[in-house]
Amino acid sequence: MNNDDNIIKLLAICLVIGLIILAFALYPRDESCSSDLECLAQDYLPAASEQCPGMIEKLSQYEFTWTFSGQNPRFQTFEWHNELNKEIIYVGDRFKQFNPQEIWQNYIYQCTFDTQQNKVIDVKMYAGVL
């Protein structure tokens, strides 16, 4: 066996490991959870919490600040966007934006998350509080 054969075998092993990791990342960790909104939303909350903020921030036209903390989480509620496709809307109001009148204003934001693709598919934001 030469070095080229060893490299090919090593690459094949890395590919298999990568596919296994990808499979775990794309699918719920607990299949019994897949039809339960509360369970599924909690399962994908870390991914939504990582992916949503940057997309929400891009909607802001002015100076902004997040106001969430450990006792006041970024997302306060969630609901089905499309139960059949396992799409969840995460909703929160821990965002303030300096408006054109130079006043800090609270905003409600919604982040629609596709659990089957493990990605954000839409974000919305409008003035108000929950």
Side-chain angles (χ1 to χ4, degrees):
M1 208 184 294
N2 63 32
N3 283 340
D4 289 341
D5 291 337
N6 287 335
I7 291 172
I8 291 171
K9 285 182 182 180
L10 182 60
L11 288 173
I13 291 170
C14 290
L15 177 63
V16 169
I17 291 171
L19 290 173
I20 291 169
I21 292 170
L22 180 62
F24 278 108
L26 292 178
Y27 297 100
R29 292 152 216 55
D30 180 359
E31 281 301 318
S32 65
C33 182
S34 66
S35 62
D36 179 342
L37 174 60
E38 174 81 25
C39 182
L40 198 63
Q42 291 300 327
D43 200 29
Y44 282 92
L45 182 59
S49 294
E50 181 181 321
Q51 295 179 35
C52 293
M55 296 180 79
I56 293 166
E57 290 170 4
K58 287 180 183 177
L59 296 176
S60 181
Q61 299 175 353
Y62 307 101
E63 182 181 348
F64 64 86
T65 185
W66 288 98
T67 61
F68 68 95
S69 67
Q71 295 172 344
N72 298 304
R74 186 184 310 265
F75 297 110
Q76 292 98 310
T77 188
F78 43 82
E79 60 192 54
W80 285 119
H81 176 257
N82 184 321
E83 186 174 358
L84 183 64
N85 291 335
K86 308 297 184 223
E87 297 169 354
I88 299 169
I89 300 174
Y90 291 91
V91 183
D93 67 352
R94 309 290 189 217
F95 191 90
K96 286 186 176 185
Q97 183 174 217
F98 206 60
N99 67 20
Q101 292 78 32
E102 299 183 358
I103 299 171
W104 284 104
Q105 186 169 16
N106 292 310
Y107 280 78
I108 296 171
Y109 44 87
Q110 299 177 332
C111 180
T112 306
F113 193 85
D114 183 333
T115 64
Q116 294 179 339
Q117 295 184 34
N118 198 37
K119 69 175 190 174
V120 175
I121 56 175
D122 190 33
V123 290
K124 296 177 182 169
M125 182 170 63
Y126 48 93
V129 292
L130 294 176

